[in-house]
C-alpha cells in the first residue's frame, strides 16, 4: 500500500506542477503565520519550532491511525494521498526556468537574471553576477529545492509513514522569522543527512558512475557541507558534457554557448527523474521482499 499511495501522490503532484497549480507553499506559509500569532517571539524560538513540526505530525498520526484501526480504507488511502500531494511539489519553478532558458538562448543574461533573481540566495542576487556564477547558483538552489520537496518527503514517508513525512517537510519549510528559521537548521540537517547521501548515491547510478566516483570524498559524511553544495558536487560528477560547469563548456564549445542553459536545465531534470525512478524501483523491491 505504501508504494501505491506514494506513486499515486507523486503522479498527481507532477501533473499539478506541470500546470503550475496548487502552490503548497501557501499552506506552509499560512501555518507558520498561525504559529507566530499563537506563539509570539517572547515565548522562544524553539517553542515555535516544536509546535510547527510536531503538531501536524501528531495530527497526521492520529487521523491515519484512527482510520486504519477502524478499517476505513476508503478514507485512509485518499487522506494519505492528499497530504502527500500537499507535502510535495514545485509548481513555481516551471515558468521562471522556461523564461530563464529562453533569455539565455537569446544571449540576454540580464533578462535571465531578472527571471530567477528571487530564487537565488540573498547574498547572490547582485545584477553583476557572471553567467557562470548565476547559473551555478540557480542549479544549486533548484537541486536543494527538489530534494526537500520530493526526495526528503519520500524517504521519511517510507521510513516513518505519513507523520515522518509531515515532520520532515515542516522542518524544510521556509519559516518567515529568522530566529526560528535558524533554529530549524540543525534539526533539518539531521533529518536530511541520510536521504541526502542516498540521493547523491542515486545520482551515480542514474548518471555517469565513473565521473561520480571522482567526486566522492570525506565531505559526504560531515554536516558542514550544505545540501545544495553536496548535491551540486554529486550531480556535476554524474552528468556528462560539463552540464554544471558553464566556464568549461564555454571554453570547449564556444559556438554552442547559447544552448548551454537549456541543456543544463534539461540534464538536471532528467537526472532527478531517473533518480526518482530508481527510488520507486527500490521501494517496489522492498514491498516484494515484505520489508515494508
Amino acid at each position: 500500500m505504501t508504494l501505491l499511495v506514494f506513486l499515486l501522490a507523486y503522479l498527481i503532484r507532477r501533473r499539478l506542477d506541470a500546470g503550475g497549480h496548487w502552490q503548497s507553499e501557501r499552506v506552509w506559509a499560512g501555518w507558520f503565520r498561525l504559529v507566530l500569532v499563537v506563539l509570539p517571539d517572547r515565548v522562544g524560538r524553539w517553542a515555535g519550532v516544536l509546535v510547527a513540526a510536531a503538531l501536524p505530525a501528531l495530527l497526521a498520526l492520529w487521523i491515519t491511525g484512527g482510520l486504519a484501526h477502524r478499517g476505513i480504507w476508503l478514507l485512509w488511502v485518499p487522506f494519505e494521498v492528499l497530504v502527500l500531494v500537499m507535502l510535495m511539489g514545485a509548481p513555481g519553478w516551471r515558468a521562471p526556468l522556461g523564461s530563464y532558458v529562453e533569455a539565455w538562448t537569446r544571449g540576454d543574461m540580464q533578462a535571465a537574471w531578472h527571471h530567477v533573481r528571487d530564487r537565488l540566495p540573498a547574498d547572490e542576487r547582485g545584477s553583476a553576477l557572471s553567467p557562470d556564477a548565476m547559473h551555478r547558483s540557480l542549479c544549486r538552489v533548484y537541486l536543494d529545492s527538489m530534494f526537500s520537496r520530493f526526495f526528503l518527503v519520500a524517504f521519511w514517508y517510507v521510513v516513518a509513514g505519513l507523520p515522518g513525512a509531515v515532520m520532515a517537510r515542516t522542518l524544510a519549510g521556509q519559516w518567515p522569522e529568522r530566529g526560528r528559521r535558524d533554529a530549524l537548521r540543525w534539526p533539518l540537517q539531521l533529518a536530511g543527512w541520510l536521504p541526502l547521501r542516498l540521493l547523491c548515491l542515486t545520482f551515480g547510478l542514474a548518471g555517469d558512475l565513473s565521473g561520480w566516483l571522482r567526486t566522492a570524498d570525506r565531505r559526504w559524511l560531515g554536516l558542514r557541507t550544505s545540501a545544495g553544495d553536496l548535491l551540486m558536487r554529486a550531480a556535476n560528477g554524474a552528468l556528462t558534457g560539463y552540464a554544471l560547469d558553464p566556464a568549461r563548456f564555454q571554453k570547449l564549445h564556444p559556438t554552442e554557448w547559447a544552448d548551454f542553459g537549456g541543456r543544463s536545465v534539461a540534464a538536471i531534470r532528467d537526472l532527478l527523474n531517473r533518480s526518482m525512478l530508481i527510488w520507486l524501483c527500490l521501494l517496489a523491491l522492498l514491498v516484494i521482499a515484505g520489508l515494508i
Side-chain angles (χ1 to χ4, degrees):
M1 189 61 70
T2 300
L3 174 61
L4 178 62
V5 170
F6 180 78
L7 182 58
L8 183 58
Y10 177 71
L11 293 177
I12 294 174
R13 184 68 261 181
R14 288 297 301 270
R15 190 66 178 268
L16 291 172
D17 286 353
H21 301 307
W22 202 356
Q23 292 274 4
S24 60
E25 292 301 316
R26 296 176 182 175
V27 176
W28 296 111
W31 169 243
F32 291 143
R33 282 196 299 269
L34 177 61
V35 173
L36 285 174
V37 171
V38 176
L39 296 176
D41 292 341
R42 65 175 180 274
V43 175
R45 61 182 185 178
W46 278 106
V49 169
L50 291 175
V51 170
L55 192 57
L58 291 174
L59 181 61
L61 177 63
W62 178 66
I63 295 176
T64 55
L67 293 176
H69 179 71
R70 291 172 174 79
I72 311 177
W73 302 102
L74 292 178
L75 293 179
W76 173 66
V77 172
F79 174 76
E80 290 215 351
V81 171
L82 176 63
V83 174
L84 285 175
V85 170
M86 293 174 60
L87 295 177
M88 296 188 292
W93 274 100
R94 187 179 183 89
L97 277 182
S99 301
Y100 172 83
V101 169
E102 291 178 3
W104 187 290
T105 303
R106 298 194 307 268
D108 189 351
M109 298 304 169
Q110 186 66 22
W113 167 81
H114 177 77
H115 290 302
V116 298
R117 62 181 177 179
D118 293 336
R119 303 279 175 175
L120 303 179
D123 57 343
E124 299 179 16
R125 293 177 184 172
S127 58
L129 277 178
S130 67
D132 178 277
M134 174 181 65
H135 188 76
R136 289 182 62 84
S137 179
L138 176 65
C139 292
R140 185 182 299 107
V141 173
Y142 181 70
L143 284 168
D144 191 9
S145 179
M146 294 304 105
F147 164 70
S148 63
R149 298 184 185 205
F150 286 100
F151 294 92
L152 182 68
V153 174
F155 177 87
W156 284 109
Y157 177 65
V158 173
V159 171
L162 191 63
V166 172
M167 176 76 80
R169 186 64 182 92
T170 305
L171 291 175
Q174 188 64 25
W175 194 289
E177 196 268 327
R178 183 173 180 82
R180 292 192 175 100
R181 188 167 66 242
D182 292 341
L184 284 169
R185 186 174 303 165
W186 278 104
L188 178 58
Q189 285 183 329
L190 292 174
W193 191 91
L194 186 55
L196 177 61
R197 272 72 187 173
L198 182 58
L199 178 57
C200 289
L201 175 62
T202 310
F203 282 171
L205 301 177
D208 179 11
L209 182 59
S210 61
W212 175 86
L213 287 173
R214 290 193 292 269
T215 67
D217 55 27
R218 293 181 179 179
R219 282 177 289 184
W220 276 44
L221 301 178
L223 287 172
R224 294 183 179 274
T225 306
S226 67
D229 289 339
L230 195 61
L231 289 169
M232 276 289 289
R233 184 173 177 83
N236 189 34
L239 293 174
T240 58
Y242 305 104
L244 289 180
D245 193 347
R248 183 71 170 170
F249 182 91
Q250 185 179 26
K251 182 178 180 180
L252 295 177
H253 308 285
T255 60
E256 302 177 20
W257 176 243
D259 298 328
F260 173 79
R263 288 185 181 183
S264 179
V265 171
I268 293 175
R269 282 174 169 169
D270 290 343
L271 181 65
L272 290 169
N273 289 336
R274 293 194 300 270
S275 297
M276 180 56 76
L277 180 60
I278 291 175
W279 280 37
L280 290 173
C281 291
L282 178 60
L283 178 57
L285 292 176
L286 293 175
V287 172
I288 293 173
L291 299 177
I292 59 175

